[in-house]
Amino acid sequence: MSRLIHWDPMGKPRVTIAALTGNRMIYILFLGFLSSPGCAAPVSENFMVSVKSHVTVQRGHTAILPCWLTFSESAEDMEIRWYQGSDEFDLPVLLYQEKAFDYSFQKALFAGRASFGLKEETSGGLKAGDVSLKLEKATIEDTGKYTCFVSSSDDYDSASISLSVTETGHQPLLSAVMRDDNKVNMSCQSDGWHPEPELSWSDSKKALTPANVIVSKNSAGFYSVHSWVLVSSPSEVSCSVGLFNEEPKETRMHLKNPPPLQEETKMPCDGWVSFGMLQVLLVAFGALYFLYFRKKANKPKSGNNRTGDK
């Protein structure tokens, strides 16, 4: 008997046992030997790798990327390789082989942060085929697809899982500018988000359609969103910004119609004009009064002039 290795349609090596002789009697005797009480039939060395399809974690928290062998067989003697993307097989996130971790070619981004984790508290770890990846202090750069690759001396399998790292941005900032046509131009801005957030406007009755929504991304990978909408006053307007499947952040503003500008300024203007004219008249009257009495005081008396002639 000998082991023959062939490749299945999926490109995986498969190990089979074949007889080297065509003697049917020898083949029957061999089956009888395997079924005897003193010998157990060998367990298949083929296995399958399973993962979850998607994992989401907040920036700075610990992410667990579940990966396990379907039949819960031990993975202690296998090679386990986690790598990011589709072409970084030789630059692993984590590599375990010959019952030890190998950091020789580990991607620098994951140094000191990658290890084995548990897909659940009672999983049993490597002994039970749990080869989940644990990433501590998740960063925005960790976002992407990861491949869990497991191989033994006779077989191998792999599966991919995607990781999303999120960051909740700041509370939306609202501002309003009144226009001449009694409408208000509302502005809403919020930054510090990842991935790209969703923005929506509404008043107390319905959703509002914004005039524009601008999304930008800074060098650190965080998104900012800025939008405008034109509304009629008075009304209560709200702007909400948030990530998919998360509670959004909302800011509200209540707008009131101001009194007409003409009515506000007419009476104060007339009052100031009247007060100013009164001051001018008082000053003029005082000046005339002062000049009159000064002239009268400087006029010479007639009796004094006649005395001087004698």
Side-chain angles (χ1 to χ4, degrees):
M1 305 300 291
S2 65
R3 292 179 183 270
L4 298 179
I5 300 178
H6 67 278
W7 299 87
D8 65 10
M10 300 298 294
K12 296 181 180 181
R14 298 298 181 185
V15 181
T16 58
I17 298 177
L20 294 179
T21 176
N23 192 315
R24 186 175 181 182
M25 182 60 68
I26 297 177
Y27 180 68
I28 295 175
L29 291 175
F30 176 75
L31 291 179
F33 173 73
L34 290 180
S35 61
S36 63
C39 180
V43 179
S44 173
E45 295 176 347
N46 299 334
F47 57 85
M48 293 181 60
V49 171
S50 298
V51 296
K52 286 188 176 180
S53 60
H54 187 84
V55 171
T56 300
V57 66
Q58 288 188 345
R59 186 175 71 96
H61 292 209
T62 297
I64 300 293
L65 278 62
C67 180
W68 64 96
L69 304 184
T70 303
F71 300 110
S72 300
E73 56 186 305
S74 175
E76 291 180 303
D77 295 327
M78 298 182 181
E79 176 183 316
I80 300 136
R81 182 187 297 261
W82 279 93
Y83 60 95
Q84 191 181 30
S86 58
D87 57 353
E88 296 187 356
F89 183 89
D90 295 326
L91 197 62
V93 175
L94 186 68
L95 176 59
Y96 173 88
Q97 57 185 359
E98 298 180 357
K99 297 186 177 182
F101 291 106
D102 185 354
Y103 301 106
S104 303
F105 303 99
Q106 185 182 36
K107 192 173 182 178
L109 175 64
F110 301 98
R113 298 195 297 122
S115 61
F116 283 137
L118 301 177
K119 64 183 180 71
E120 53 192 26
E121 293 183 0
T122 58
S123 70
L126 286 179
K127 291 182 179 180
D130 185 353
V131 295
S132 301
L133 176 66
K134 178 181 179 180
L135 287 180
E136 299 180 6
K137 300 178 181 179
T139 68
I140 299 301
E141 291 80 5
D142 293 344
T143 298
K145 186 181 75 171
Y146 292 76
T147 299
C148 175
F149 179 90
V150 182
S151 64
S152 66
S153 58
D154 300 303
D155 201 5
Y156 72 91
D157 196 14
S158 64
S160 296
I161 178 174
S162 60
L163 172 66
S164 294
V165 181
T166 65
E167 177 68 10
T168 301
H170 300 129
Q171 191 76 21
L173 178 63
L174 279 179
S175 59
V177 177
M178 179 67 70
R179 300 198 340 170
D180 296 337
D181 56 0
N182 200 33
K183 291 187 177 181
V184 181
N185 188 15
M186 299 288 300
S187 172
C188 177
Q189 183 171 0
S190 182
D191 52 19
W193 296 87
H194 191 277
E196 182 178 324
E198 298 177 350
L199 182 146
S200 62
W201 288 94
S202 65
D203 59 17
S204 56
K205 298 179 181 179
K206 63 183 182 305
L208 302 175
T209 302
N212 203 353
V213 178
I214 297 177
V215 179
S216 59
K217 185 179 181 181
N218 62 19
S219 58
F222 297 105
Y223 290 88
S224 298
V225 60
H226 193 187
S227 180
W228 298 266
V229 69
L230 193 63
V231 298
S232 299
S233 180
S235 60
E236 184 179 70
V237 180
S238 70
C239 176
S240 299
V241 182
L243 300 175
F244 181 71
N245 284 339
E246 289 189 11
E247 188 72 20
K249 289 191 173 183
E250 182 184 35
T251 300
R252 292 179 174 270
M253 180 180 289
H254 185 70
L255 304 174
K256 295 182 179 180
N257 266 333
L261 183 61
Q262 187 176 4
E263 294 182 5
E264 285 185 348
T265 58
K266 184 176 180 180
M267 293 307 296
C269 181
D270 291 345
W272 280 108
V273 170
S274 300
F275 181 71
M277 292 179 64
L278 179 61
Q279 283 186 319
V280 171
L281 290 174
L282 289 175
V283 172
F285 179 79
L288 292 173
Y289 183 81
F290 176 75
L291 291 174
Y292 172 77
F293 281 99
R294 183 178 181 182
K295 183 177 181 181
K296 186 176 181 181
N298 291 336
K299 186 176 181 181
K301 296 180 180 181
S302 58
N304 292 341
N305 291 337
R306 287 195 296 267
T307 305
D309 292 340
K310 293 179 180 182

